[in-house]
Coordinates of all heavy atoms in Angstrom, one line a residue:
M1 N 0.9 -1.2 0.0 CA 0.0 0.0 0.0 C 0.9 1.2 0.0 O 1.6 1.5 0.9 CB -0.9 0.0 1.2 CG -1.9 1.1 1.3 SD -3.2 0.9 2.4 CE -2.4 1.0 4.0
A2 N 0.8 2.0 -1.1 CA 1.7 3.2 -1.2 C 0.9 4.5 -1.0 O 1.6 5.5 -0.8 CB 2.3 3.2 -2.6
Y3 N -0.4 4.5 -1.0 CA -1.1 5.7 -0.9 C -2.0 5.7 0.3 O -2.4 4.7 0.9 CB -2.0 6.0 -2.2 CG -1.1 6.1 -3.4 CD1 -1.0 5.0 -4.3 CD2 -0.4 7.2 -3.6 CE1 -0.2 5.1 -5.4 CE2 0.4 7.3 -4.8 CZ 0.5 6.3 -5.7 OH 1.3 6.4 -6.8
S4 N -2.5 6.9 0.7 CA -3.4 7.0 1.9 C -4.8 6.9 1.4 O -5.1 6.8 0.1 CB -3.2 8.3 2.6 OG -3.6 9.4 1.8
Q5 N -5.8 6.8 2.3 CA -7.2 6.7 1.9 C -7.7 8.0 1.3 O -8.7 8.0 0.6 CB -8.0 6.2 3.0 CG -7.7 4.8 3.5 CD -8.6 4.3 4.6 OE1 -9.3 5.1 5.3 NE2 -8.5 3.1 4.9
K6 N -7.0 9.1 1.6 CA -7.4 10.4 1.1 C -7.1 10.5 -0.4 O -6.0 10.1 -0.8 CB -6.7 11.5 1.8 CG -7.1 12.9 1.5 CD -6.3 13.9 2.3 CE -6.7 15.3 2.0 NZ -6.0 16.3 2.7
R7 N -8.0 10.9 -1.2 CA -7.8 11.0 -2.7 C -6.9 12.2 -3.0 O -7.2 13.3 -2.5 CB -9.2 11.2 -3.4 CG -10.0 9.9 -3.3 CD -11.4 10.2 -3.9 NE -12.2 9.0 -3.7 CZ -12.6 8.2 -4.7 NH1 -12.3 8.5 -5.9 NH2 -13.3 7.1 -4.4
R8 N -5.9 12.0 -3.8 CA -5.0 13.0 -4.2 C -4.8 13.1 -5.7 O -4.7 12.0 -6.3 CB -3.6 12.8 -3.5 CG -3.7 12.8 -2.0 CD -2.4 12.5 -1.4 NE -2.5 12.4 0.0 CZ -2.1 13.3 0.9 NH1 -1.6 14.4 0.4 NH2 -2.3 13.2 2.2
F9 N -4.8 14.3 -6.2 CA -4.6 14.5 -7.6 C -3.1 14.3 -8.0 O -2.2 14.6 -7.2 CB -5.0 15.9 -8.1 CG -6.5 16.0 -8.3 CD1 -7.3 16.5 -7.3 CD2 -7.1 15.6 -9.5 CE1 -8.7 16.6 -7.5 CE2 -8.4 15.7 -9.7 CZ -9.2 16.2 -8.7
V10 N -2.8 13.7 -9.1 CA -1.5 13.5 -9.6 C -1.2 14.6 -10.7 O -1.8 14.5 -11.8 CB -1.3 12.1 -10.2 CG1 0.1 11.9 -10.6 CG2 -1.7 11.1 -9.1
A11 N -0.2 15.5 -10.4 CA 0.1 16.5 -11.4 C 0.7 15.9 -12.6 O 1.6 15.1 -12.6 CB 1.0 17.5 -10.7
G12 N 0.2 16.3 -13.8 CA 0.8 15.9 -15.1 C 0.4 14.5 -15.5 O 0.8 14.1 -16.6
A13 N -0.4 13.8 -14.8 CA -0.9 12.5 -15.2 C -1.9 12.6 -16.2 O -2.8 13.5 -16.2 CB -1.4 11.7 -14.0
V14 N -1.9 11.6 -17.2 CA -2.9 11.6 -18.3 C -3.7 10.4 -18.2 O -3.2 9.3 -17.9 CB -2.1 11.6 -19.6 CG1 -3.1 11.5 -20.8 CG2 -1.3 12.8 -19.8
C15 N -5.0 10.5 -18.3 CA -6.0 9.4 -18.2 C -5.7 8.5 -19.4 O -5.7 8.9 -20.6 CB -7.4 9.9 -18.2 SG -8.6 8.6 -18.2
P16 N -5.6 7.1 -19.2 CA -5.5 6.2 -20.3 C -6.7 6.1 -21.2 O -6.5 5.7 -22.4 CB -5.2 4.9 -19.6 CG -5.1 5.1 -18.2 CD -5.6 6.5 -17.9
R17 N -7.9 6.4 -20.7 CA -9.1 6.3 -21.5 C -9.4 7.5 -22.3 O -9.5 7.5 -23.5 CB -10.3 5.9 -20.6 CG -11.5 5.7 -21.5 CD -12.8 5.5 -20.7 NE -12.7 4.2 -19.9 CZ -13.5 3.9 -18.9 NH1 -14.4 4.8 -18.5 NH2 -13.4 2.8 -18.3
C18 N -9.5 8.7 -21.6 CA -10.0 9.9 -22.3 C -8.8 10.9 -22.6 O -9.0 11.9 -23.2 CB -11.0 10.6 -21.4 SG -10.4 11.3 -19.9
S19 N -7.6 10.6 -22.2 CA -6.4 11.4 -22.5 C -6.4 12.8 -21.9 O -5.7 13.6 -22.5 CB -6.1 11.4 -24.0 OG -5.9 10.1 -24.4
T20 N -7.2 13.0 -20.9 CA -7.2 14.4 -20.3 C -6.1 14.4 -19.2 O -5.8 13.4 -18.6 CB -8.5 14.7 -19.7 OG1 -8.9 13.7 -18.7 CG2 -9.6 14.9 -20.7
M21 N -5.5 15.6 -19.1 CA -4.4 15.7 -18.2 C -4.9 16.3 -16.9 O -5.8 17.1 -16.9 CB -3.3 16.6 -18.8 CG -2.0 16.7 -17.9 SD -0.8 17.8 -18.6 CE -0.1 16.8 -19.9
D22 N -4.2 16.0 -15.8 CA -4.5 16.5 -14.4 C -5.9 16.2 -14.0 O -6.5 16.9 -13.2 CB -4.3 18.0 -14.4 CG -2.9 18.4 -14.6 OD1 -2.0 17.5 -14.4 OD2 -2.6 19.5 -15.1
K23 N -6.5 15.0 -14.3 CA -7.8 14.6 -13.9 C -7.7 13.3 -13.1 O -8.8 12.8 -12.7 CB -8.8 14.4 -15.0 CG -9.0 15.7 -15.8 CD -9.8 16.7 -15.0 CE -10.0 17.9 -15.8 NZ -10.8 19.0 -15.1
L24 N -6.5 12.7 -12.9 CA -6.4 11.4 -12.2 C -6.2 11.7 -10.7 O -5.4 12.5 -10.3 CB -5.2 10.6 -12.7 CG -5.4 9.9 -14.0 CD1 -4.2 9.2 -14.4 CD2 -6.6 9.0 -14.0
V25 N -6.9 10.9 -9.9 CA -6.6 10.8 -8.4 C -6.2 9.5 -8.0 O -6.5 8.5 -8.7 CB -7.9 11.2 -7.6 CG1 -8.3 12.6 -7.8 CG2 -9.1 10.3 -8.0
V26 N -5.3 9.4 -7.0 CA -4.9 8.1 -6.5 C -5.3 8.0 -5.0 O -5.4 9.0 -4.3 CB -3.3 7.9 -6.6 CG1 -2.9 7.8 -8.1 CG2 -2.6 9.1 -5.9
Y27 N -5.6 6.8 -4.6 CA -6.0 6.5 -3.2 C -5.9 5.0 -2.9 O -5.7 4.2 -3.8 CB -7.5 7.0 -3.0 CG -8.5 6.3 -3.9 CD1 -9.2 5.2 -3.4 CD2 -8.8 6.8 -5.2 CE1 -10.1 4.6 -4.3 CE2 -9.7 6.2 -6.0 CZ -10.4 5.1 -5.5 OH -11.3 4.5 -6.3
S28 N -6.1 4.7 -1.7 CA -6.0 3.3 -1.2 C -7.4 3.0 -0.6 O -8.0 3.8 0.1 CB -4.9 3.2 -0.2 OG -4.9 1.8 0.3
E29 N -7.8 1.8 -0.9 CA -9.1 1.3 -0.4 C -9.0 -0.2 -0.2 O -8.6 -1.0 -1.1 CB -10.2 1.6 -1.4 CG -11.6 1.3 -1.0 CD -12.6 1.8 -2.0 OE1 -12.9 1.0 -2.9 OE2 -13.0 3.0 -2.0
D30 N -9.3 -0.7 1.0 CA -9.3 -2.1 1.4 C -7.9 -2.7 1.1 O -7.8 -3.8 0.6 CB -10.3 -2.9 0.6 CG -11.8 -2.4 0.9 OD1 -12.0 -2.0 2.1 OD2 -12.6 -2.5 0.1
G31 N -6.8 -1.9 1.3 CA -5.5 -2.4 1.2 C -5.0 -2.5 -0.2 O -3.9 -3.0 -0.5
K32 N -5.7 -1.9 -1.2 CA -5.3 -1.9 -2.6 C -5.2 -0.5 -3.0 O -6.0 0.4 -2.6 CB -6.3 -2.7 -3.5 CG -6.4 -4.1 -3.1 CD -7.3 -4.8 -4.0 CE -7.4 -6.3 -3.7 NZ -8.4 -7.0 -4.5
D33 N -4.3 -0.2 -4.0 CA -4.1 1.2 -4.5 C -4.9 1.3 -5.8 O -4.8 0.4 -6.7 CB -2.6 1.5 -4.7 CG -1.9 1.5 -3.4 OD1 -2.4 1.9 -2.4 OD2 -0.7 1.1 -3.4
Y34 N -5.5 2.4 -6.0 CA -6.3 2.7 -7.2 C -6.0 4.0 -7.8 O -5.6 4.9 -7.1 CB -7.8 2.7 -6.9 CG -8.4 1.3 -6.4 CD1 -8.5 1.0 -5.1 CD2 -8.7 0.4 -7.4 CE1 -9.0 -0.2 -4.7 CE2 -9.2 -0.9 -7.0 CZ -9.3 -1.1 -5.6 OH -9.8 -2.4 -5.2
R35 N -6.2 4.2 -9.1 CA -6.2 5.5 -9.8 C -7.5 5.6 -10.4 O -8.1 4.6 -11.0 CB -5.0 5.6 -10.8 CG -5.1 4.6 -11.9 CD -4.0 4.8 -12.9 NE -4.1 3.7 -13.9 CZ -3.3 3.7 -14.9 NH1 -2.3 4.5 -15.1 NH2 -3.4 2.7 -15.8
E36 N -8.1 6.8 -10.4 CA -9.4 7.1 -11.0 C -9.4 8.4 -11.7 O -8.9 9.4 -11.2 CB -10.4 7.0 -9.9 CG -11.8 7.2 -10.3 CD -12.8 7.0 -9.2 OE1 -12.5 6.6 -8.1 OE2 -14.0 7.4 -9.4
C37 N -10.1 8.5 -12.8 CA -10.2 9.7 -13.6 C -11.5 10.4 -13.1 O -12.6 9.7 -13.2 CB -10.2 9.4 -15.1 SG -10.5 10.9 -16.1
V38 N -11.5 11.6 -12.7 CA -12.7 12.3 -12.3 C -13.5 12.9 -13.5 O -14.6 13.2 -13.3 CB -12.3 13.5 -11.3 CG1 -11.7 12.9 -10.0 CG2 -11.4 14.5 -12.0
S39 N -12.9 12.8 -14.7 CA -13.5 13.3 -15.9 C -14.4 12.2 -16.5 O -15.6 12.5 -16.8 CB -12.5 13.8 -16.9 OG -13.1 14.2 -18.1
C40 N -13.9 11.0 -16.7 CA -14.6 10.0 -17.5 C -15.0 8.8 -16.6 O -15.8 8.0 -17.0 CB -13.8 9.5 -18.7 SG -12.4 8.5 -18.2
G41 N -14.5 8.7 -15.3 CA -14.9 7.7 -14.4 C -14.0 6.4 -14.5 O -14.3 5.4 -13.9
Y42 N -13.0 6.5 -15.3 CA -12.0 5.3 -15.5 C -11.4 5.0 -14.1 O -11.0 5.9 -13.4 CB -10.9 5.7 -16.5 CG -9.8 4.6 -16.6 CD1 -10.0 3.5 -17.3 CD2 -8.6 4.8 -15.9 CE1 -9.0 2.5 -17.4 CE2 -7.6 3.9 -16.0 CZ -7.8 2.7 -16.7 OH -6.8 1.8 -16.8
K43 N -11.4 3.7 -13.7 CA -10.9 3.3 -12.5 C -10.0 2.0 -12.7 O -10.4 1.1 -13.4 CB -12.0 3.0 -11.5 CG -11.5 2.6 -10.1 CD -12.6 2.4 -9.1 CE -12.2 2.0 -7.7 NZ -13.3 1.8 -6.8
D44 N -8.8 2.0 -12.1 CA -7.9 0.9 -12.3 C -7.1 0.6 -11.0 O -6.7 1.6 -10.3 CB -6.9 1.3 -13.4 CG -5.9 0.2 -13.8 OD1 -6.3 -1.0 -13.6 OD2 -4.8 0.5 -14.3
E45 N -6.9 -0.6 -10.7 CA -6.1 -1.0 -9.6 C -4.7 -1.0 -10.0 O -4.3 -1.5 -11.0 CB -6.5 -2.4 -9.1 CG -5.6 -2.9 -7.9 CD -5.9 -4.3 -7.5 OE1 -6.9 -4.9 -7.9 OE2 -5.1 -4.8 -6.7
M46 N -3.8 -0.4 -9.2 CA -2.4 -0.2 -9.5 C -1.7 -1.4 -8.8 O -1.8 -1.6 -7.6 CB -1.9 1.1 -9.1 CG -2.6 2.2 -9.8 SD -1.9 3.9 -9.5 CE -1.3 3.9 -7.9
R47 N -0.9 -2.1 -9.6 CA -0.1 -3.2 -9.0 C 1.4 -2.8 -9.2 O 1.8 -2.6 -10.3 CB -0.4 -4.5 -9.7 CG -1.8 -4.9 -9.5 CD -2.0 -6.3 -10.2 NE -3.4 -6.6 -10.1 CZ -4.3 -6.4 -11.0 NH1 -3.9 -5.7 -12.1 NH2 -5.6 -6.7 -10.9
F48 N 2.1 -2.7 -8.1 CA 3.5 -2.3 -8.2 C 4.4 -3.6 -8.2 O 4.1 -4.5 -7.5 CB 3.9 -1.5 -7.0 CG 3.2 -0.2 -6.9 CD1 2.2 0.0 -6.0 CD2 3.5 0.8 -7.8 CE1 1.5 1.2 -6.0 CE2 2.9 2.0 -7.8 CZ 1.8 2.2 -6.8
P49 N 5.4 -3.7 -9.1 CA 6.2 -4.8 -9.2 C 7.1 -4.9 -7.9 O 7.3 -3.9 -7.3 CB 7.1 -4.6 -10.4 CG 7.1 -3.1 -10.6 CD 5.7 -2.6 -10.1
G50 N 7.6 -6.1 -7.6 CA 8.5 -6.3 -6.5 C 9.8 -5.5 -6.7 O 10.1 -5.1 -7.8
K51 N 10.5 -5.4 -5.6 CA 11.7 -4.7 -5.7 C 12.8 -5.4 -6.5 O 12.9 -6.6 -6.3 CB 12.3 -4.4 -4.3 CG 11.4 -3.4 -3.5 CD 12.0 -3.0 -2.2 CE 11.2 -2.0 -1.5 NZ 11.8 -1.5 -0.3
A52 N 13.5 -4.7 -7.3 CA 14.5 -5.3 -8.1 C 15.8 -5.5 -7.3 O 16.0 -4.8 -6.4 CB 14.8 -4.5 -9.3
K53 N 16.5 -6.5 -7.7 CA 17.8 -6.8 -7.0 C 18.8 -5.7 -7.3 O 18.9 -5.3 -8.5 CB 18.3 -8.2 -7.5 CG 19.6 -8.6 -6.8 CD 20.1 -9.9 -7.3 CE 21.5 -10.2 -6.7 NZ 22.0 -11.4 -7.3
E54 N 19.5 -5.2 -6.3 CA 20.4 -4.2 -6.5 C 21.6 -4.7 -7.2 O 22.2 -5.7 -7.0 CB 20.8 -3.6 -5.1 CG 21.7 -2.4 -5.2 CD 22.1 -1.9 -3.8 OE1 21.7 -2.5 -2.8 OE2 22.7 -0.8 -3.8
L55 N 22.1 -3.9 -8.2 CA 23.2 -4.3 -9.0 C 24.5 -4.1 -8.2 O 24.6 -3.1 -7.4 CB 23.3 -3.4 -10.2 CG 22.2 -3.5 -11.2 CD1 22.4 -2.5 -12.4 CD2 22.2 -4.9 -11.8
P56 N 25.4 -5.0 -8.3 CA 26.7 -4.9 -7.5 C 27.5 -3.8 -8.1 O 27.8 -3.7 -9.3 CB 27.4 -6.3 -7.7 CG 26.8 -6.8 -9.0 CD 25.4 -6.3 -9.1
T57 N 27.9 -2.9 -7.2 CA 28.8 -1.8 -7.6 C 29.9 -1.7 -6.6 O 29.9 -2.4 -5.5 CB 28.1 -0.4 -7.6 OG1 27.6 -0.2 -6.3 CG2 26.9 -0.5 -8.6
R58 N 30.9 -0.8 -6.8 CA 32.0 -0.6 -5.8 C 31.5 0.0 -4.5 O 32.2 -0.2 -3.5 CB 33.1 0.3 -6.4 CG 32.7 1.7 -6.7 CD 33.8 2.5 -7.3 NE 33.4 3.8 -7.6 CZ 33.4 4.8 -6.8 NH1 33.7 4.7 -5.5 NH2 32.9 6.0 -7.2
V59 N 30.3 0.6 -4.5 CA 29.8 1.2 -3.3 C 29.2 0.1 -2.4 O 29.3 0.2 -1.1 CB 28.8 2.3 -3.6 CG1 28.2 2.9 -2.4 CG2 29.5 3.4 -4.5
N60 N 28.5 -0.9 -2.9 CA 27.8 -1.8 -2.1 C 28.4 -3.2 -2.0 O 27.8 -4.1 -1.6 CB 26.3 -1.9 -2.6 CG 26.2 -2.5 -4.0 OD1 27.2 -2.9 -4.6 ND2 25.0 -2.6 -4.5
T61 N 29.7 -3.3 -2.3 CA 30.4 -4.6 -2.1 C 31.3 -4.5 -0.9 O 31.8 -3.4 -0.5 CB 31.3 -4.9 -3.4 OG1 32.2 -3.8 -3.6 CG2 30.5 -5.2 -4.6
T62 N 31.5 -5.6 -0.2 CA 32.3 -5.6 1.0 C 33.8 -5.7 0.6 O 34.2 -6.0 -0.5 CB 31.9 -6.8 1.8 OG1 32.2 -8.0 1.1 CG2 30.4 -6.8 2.2
E63 N 34.6 -5.4 1.6 CA 36.1 -5.5 1.4 C 36.5 -6.9 1.0 O 37.4 -7.1 0.2 CB 36.8 -5.0 2.6 CG 36.8 -3.6 2.8 CD 37.4 -2.8 1.7 OE1 38.5 -3.2 1.2 OE2 36.9 -1.7 1.3
E64 N 35.9 -8.0 1.6 CA 36.2 -9.3 1.3 C 35.9 -9.7 -0.2 O 36.7 -10.3 -0.9 CB 35.4 -10.3 2.2 CG 35.9 -10.3 3.6 CD 35.2 -9.1 4.4 OE1 34.1 -8.7 4.0 OE2 35.8 -8.7 5.4
E65 N 34.8 -9.2 -0.7 CA 34.4 -9.4 -2.1 C 35.4 -8.7 -3.0 O 35.8 -9.2 -4.1 CB 33.0 -8.9 -2.3 CG 32.0 -9.8 -1.6 CD 30.6 -9.2 -1.8 OE1 30.4 -8.0 -1.9 OE2 29.6 -10.0 -1.6
K66 N 35.9 -7.5 -2.6 CA 36.8 -6.8 -3.4 C 38.2 -7.5 -3.5 O 38.8 -7.6 -4.5 CB 37.0 -5.4 -2.9 CG 35.9 -4.5 -3.0 CD 36.1 -3.1 -2.4 CE 34.9 -2.2 -2.4 NZ 35.1 -0.9 -1.8
Q67 N 38.6 -8.1 -2.3 CA 39.9 -8.8 -2.2 C 39.8 -10.1 -3.1 O 40.8 -10.5 -3.6 CB 40.2 -9.1 -0.8 CG 40.6 -7.9 0.0 CD 41.8 -7.2 -0.6 OE1 42.8 -7.9 -1.0 NE2 41.8 -5.9 -0.5
E68 N 38.7 -10.7 -3.2 CA 38.5 -11.9 -4.0 C 38.7 -11.7 -5.5 O 39.1 -12.5 -6.2 CB 37.1 -12.6 -3.8 CG 36.9 -13.2 -2.4 CD 35.5 -13.7 -2.2 OE1 34.7 -13.6 -3.2 OE2 35.2 -14.1 -1.1
Q69 N 38.5 -10.4 -5.9 CA 38.6 -10.1 -7.3 C 40.0 -9.6 -7.7 O 40.3 -9.4 -8.8 CB 37.6 -9.0 -7.7 CG 36.2 -9.4 -7.5 CD 35.2 -8.3 -7.7 OE1 35.6 -7.2 -7.9 NE2 33.9 -8.6 -7.7
V70 N 40.9 -9.4 -6.7 CA 42.2 -8.9 -6.9 C 43.1 -10.0 -7.5 O 43.1 -11.2 -7.0 CB 42.9 -8.3 -5.6 CG1 44.3 -8.0 -5.8 CG2 42.1 -7.1 -5.1
Q71 N 43.8 -9.8 -8.5 CA 44.7 -10.8 -9.1 C 46.1 -10.2 -9.2 O 46.4 -9.0 -9.4 CB 44.3 -11.1 -10.5 CG 42.9 -11.8 -10.6 CD 42.5 -12.0 -12.0 OE1 43.2 -11.7 -13.0 NE2 41.4 -12.7 -12.2
V72 N 47.1 -11.1 -8.9 CA 48.5 -10.7 -9.0 C 49.0 -10.7 -10.4 O 48.8 -11.7 -11.1 CB 49.4 -11.6 -8.0 CG1 50.8 -11.2 -8.1 CG2 48.8 -11.5 -6.6
V73 N 49.7 -9.7 -10.8 CA 50.2 -9.6 -12.2 C 51.7 -9.6 -12.1 O 52.3 -8.9 -11.3 CB 49.8 -8.3 -12.9 CG1 50.4 -8.2 -14.2 CG2 48.3 -8.3 -12.9
K74 N 52.4 -10.6 -12.8 CA 53.8 -10.7 -12.8 C 54.3 -10.0 -14.1 O 53.9 -10.3 -15.2 CB 54.3 -12.1 -12.8 CG 53.9 -12.8 -11.5 CD 54.5 -14.2 -11.5 CE 54.1 -15.0 -10.2 NZ 54.6 -16.3 -10.2
I75 N 55.3 -9.1 -13.9 CA 56.0 -8.5 -15.0 C 57.2 -9.3 -15.4 O 58.1 -9.5 -14.6 CB 56.3 -7.0 -14.7 CG1 55.1 -6.3 -14.3 CG2 57.1 -6.4 -15.8 CD1 55.3 -4.9 -13.9
L76 N 57.2 -9.7 -16.6 CA 58.4 -10.5 -17.1 C 59.5 -9.6 -17.5 O 59.4 -8.6 -18.1 CB 57.9 -11.3 -18.3 CG 56.8 -12.3 -18.1 CD1 56.4 -12.9 -19.4 CD2 57.1 -13.3 -17.1
S77 N 60.7 -10.1 -17.1 CA 61.9 -9.3 -17.4 C 62.3 -9.6 -18.9 O 62.0 -10.7 -19.4 CB 63.1 -9.7 -16.5 OG 63.4 -11.0 -16.7
P78 N 62.9 -8.7 -19.6 CA 63.2 -8.9 -21.0 C 64.3 -9.9 -21.3 O 64.6 -10.3 -22.4 CB 63.6 -7.5 -21.5 CG 63.9 -6.8 -20.3 CD 63.2 -7.4 -19.2
K79 N 65.0 -10.4 -20.2 CA 66.1 -11.4 -20.4 C 65.6 -12.8 -20.6 O 64.8 -13.4 -20.3 CB 67.0 -11.3 -19.2 CG 67.7 -10.0 -19.0 CD 68.6 -10.1 -17.8 CE 69.2 -8.7 -17.6 NZ 70.1 -8.7 -16.5

């Protein structure tokens, strides 16, 4: 549940049915989130996808994981 039970307008949102701008409200009812057009009466339940797995970066890896990726490089002498 991402929204409160109080109906709130969404600035810049366009209705999928009548294509009017700034006529959509979002609200929560019975634990489900809805969007509704006050112009044409379109109503739709909004389903949010689950959270995506965070991509591994240098910021969110541990020191042990960084050390596992370190490789020793040997420089060969020209002789």
Side-chain angles (χ1 to χ4, degrees):
M1 183 165 71
Y3 299 105
S4 66
Q5 292 180 350
K6 185 177 179 181
R7 293 174 183 249
R8 298 177 186 258
F9 280 94
V10 180
V14 178
C15 176
R17 182 187 293 164
C18 66
S19 299
T20 57
M21 186 182 284
D22 296 334
K23 299 292 182 181
L24 283 180
V25 293
V26 293
Y27 61 94
S28 180
E29 187 176 88
D30 297 328
K32 296 180 181 178
D33 295 324
Y34 294 97
R35 64 180 175 174
E36 183 176 347
C37 179
V38 296
S39 179
C40 69
Y42 174 80
K43 184 176 180 181
D44 184 24
E45 179 185 349
M46 299 186 331
R47 296 181 188 94
F48 297 105
K51 292 187 177 185
K53 182 180 175 186
E54 185 176 8
L55 296 174
T57 62
R58 64 179 176 87
V59 177
N60 63 4
T61 55
T62 62
E63 287 298 322
E64 292 82 25
E65 292 171 335
K66 290 178 187 176
Q67 289 299 323
E68 290 175 3
Q69 296 175 357
V70 173
Q71 295 179 358
V72 178
V73 178
K74 294 182 181 180
I75 300 176
L76 300 175
S77 65
K79 295 181 184 181

